Amino acid sequence: MAALQHLSSSIFTPPPSQFHSRFHFCCRRHRLLPSASAAARQSPPPNNDISRRQLIGAAAATATAISVGGGNKAAAEEPLSEWDRVYLPIDPGVVLLDIAFVPDDPSHGFVLGTRQTILETKDGGNSWVPRSIPSAEDEDFNYRFNSISFKGKEGWIIGKPAILLYTSDSGNTWQRIPLSAQLPGDMHYVGAGSRILNKQEERPRFFDSKAKRSCWDKAKQVPGRDPERWRIDAAGHIVCKNLHTCNGCLCYEYDHIIPFSRGGESVEENCQILQTRVNRLKSDKNGLDQRLLKGYSCDIKFSNEELDVYINANGEKSAEMVTDQGAIYITSNGGYNWKAAVQETVSATLNRTVSSGISGASYYTGTFSTVNRSPEGNYVAVSSRGNFYLTWEPGQAYWQPHNRAVARRIQNMGWRADGGLWLLVRGGGLYLSKGTGITEEFEEIPVQSRGFGILDVGYRSQDEAWAAGGSGILLKTTNSGKTWVRDKAADNIAANLYSVKFVNEKQGFVLGNDGVLLKYLG
């Protein structure tokens, strides 16, 4: 993808519903919802042949004429907005999470969101249509697609529950890449051994949707509970249907009764549901006796948190994943094998460095709130409580923690076009690092945020950048961030704006909650 697309590429940008709380991975806390329909969420305004910009221009011209006769001169000087809203064919409540365009064809792009939302455009983002990917619809899950990235004609989509899609033809067709159920832990391809299954292989490793449906139906029901949502696994543990391949105590996996490695087939007669932790411990014990499985069950209280994973395309079948726990994985063969780039967990790093004076490290809960990647492959991440931040550069064995230089907790951080850092704090504060590269020295920049939180910054060029935030806040700088002015384009839109993406100097988008998408007019 062109370098400008990644000037401030956000592997993760904050969803809106809890942007005043501990962090922006709040969407992962949302319960899975019904699939989005293709019906339009909201019809465009009437007289669609006249654009919003033309109407504003006409109004400004009228105001100018009035001012000549002694009217309100201030109205004539009101600047034209540089953004327009694009109405999408999605249901209310869908949260847009990422957007990307094919580098060789900037008119062709995709936008992702919750409720299994994938929309495609072939006119540069002026209009969008729902896109169906059959390989992502063969299970009874409502995927939340988190992240999309292109490099040349190669593209990647990743979502939760864990799903990875790959295209080599600019998104015309997508194939599903199998992921280990341990994602985003120690990822590896779950095939026969560690090899890639041959297309002529007659023994499929995974159960198909029909086998899974039958496997769920034959499991013992939970008295007084909806059998479509709750079942009892083979070891007597209650599991929830929506929580497939995750790590919580209500999570489960489809397990071979006779192990696949011992000749067991992936058919409904050889399928059982089994609590995730029990299934993995059983595997570690090389087929633990079913009568002993209860002793290996997870007894902690269930947490509704799901780990998020975000992806970046590097080209030539290579890609890079990062999780909200700080794991970074790299593949060079189309996603069938992944190698860990970070050799130490963040918790281990903090335990080793807490005596070095990292404020708030003892309160670390094990997750990042936001993660952003620079075009050079460097990362900056904010701790879950916003009390310190971490950086990582290719080749480093572990994340480097840094104290925050501001009093308020950090909301988000990212990379400027010149290689420096920007930093947002709760309550609407914006800071820029002194100089370029990684540093702990920042200076505050006055902004007109009206007290609403600023959630993301995106650079259009070396000098021009836009910031977006709560209650439709849009801010612009044309002098590399020294001063900012407010654009009133979204003042009347009841939405929080939480992601700014520039594909190139002429193409830019702002993503918001409730299906709000703004397009840069140039």
Side-chain angles (χ1 to χ4, degrees), residues 263-507:
E265 302 293 338
S266 300
V267 294
E268 56 186 84
E269 294 81 7
N270 193 41
C271 180
Q272 64 183 355
I273 59 174
L274 202 58
Q275 187 187 74
T276 298
R277 186 168 183 268
V278 172
N279 188 36
R280 295 175 189 176
L281 283 169
K282 176 174 72 70
S283 299
D284 293 342
K285 298 292 182 180
N286 296 318
L288 193 65
D289 190 313
Q290 294 286 318
R291 293 171 297 178
L292 304 178
L293 290 181
K294 283 192 176 182
Y296 289 87
S297 65
C298 174
D299 56 3
I300 63 174
K301 293 182 179 180
F302 168 72
S303 170
N304 197 36
E305 293 189 9
E306 294 180 15
L307 299 181
D308 283 317
V309 186
Y310 298 87
I311 197 160
N312 184 77
N314 294 329
E316 298 181 354
K317 294 188 176 180
S318 67
E320 196 171 273
M321 285 186 188
V322 60
T323 78
D324 70 340
Q325 285 193 338
I328 300 176
Y329 298 99
I330 299 172
T331 184
S332 58
N333 66 345
Y336 286 94
N337 292 97
W338 296 86
K339 180 181 179 180
V342 176
Q343 306 302 319
E344 182 179 70
T345 66
V346 176
S347 295
T349 299
L350 294 175
N351 287 335
R352 186 168 48 78
T353 60
V354 66
S355 59
S356 300
I358 302 301
S359 176
S362 59
Y363 297 98
Y364 183 69
T365 61
T367 57
F368 295 157
S369 62
T370 64
V371 184
N372 281 282
R373 182 182 187 274
S374 75
E376 295 75 29
N378 301 326
Y379 287 94
V380 59
V382 177
S383 71
S384 52
R385 294 167 61 92
N387 43 13
F388 63 96
Y389 65 98
L390 305 99
T391 58
W392 181 84
E393 298 177 347
Q396 293 180 337
Y398 50 87
W399 289 83
Q400 309 293 319
H402 303 270
N403 281 310
R404 73 180 192 270
V406 297
R408 286 179 286 174
R409 294 183 184 270
I410 305 172
Q411 183 92 341
N412 193 7
M413 292 183 69
W415 303 91
R416 303 197 305 261
D418 62 2
L421 290 166
W422 52 260
L423 182 152
L424 306 174
V425 298
R426 299 177 187 181
L430 186 153
Y431 292 75
L432 298 180
S433 65
K434 296 180 180 180
T436 60
I438 296 171
T439 180
E440 295 182 6
E441 295 185 10
F442 289 81
E443 58 181 346
E444 185 173 9
I445 306 299
V447 293
Q448 303 173 26
S449 65
R450 298 184 296 166
F452 294 102
I454 303 175
L455 302 180
D456 194 30
V457 176
Y459 277 77
R460 176 174 172 263
S461 66
Q462 187 83 10
D463 298 322
E464 182 179 329
W466 291 80
S471 192
I473 286 291
L474 270 178
L475 302 169
K476 177 185 179 181
T477 180
T478 56
N479 54 12
S480 302
K482 296 182 179 66
T483 59
W484 296 76
V485 295
R486 187 164 67 91
D487 187 299
K488 299 181 179 180
D491 278 8
N492 295 324
I493 297 177
N496 297 320
L497 308 177
Y498 52 89
S499 179
V500 183
K501 296 266 188 173
F502 277 97
V503 180
N504 51 53
E505 289 193 356
K506 295 182 179 180
Q507 271 185 295

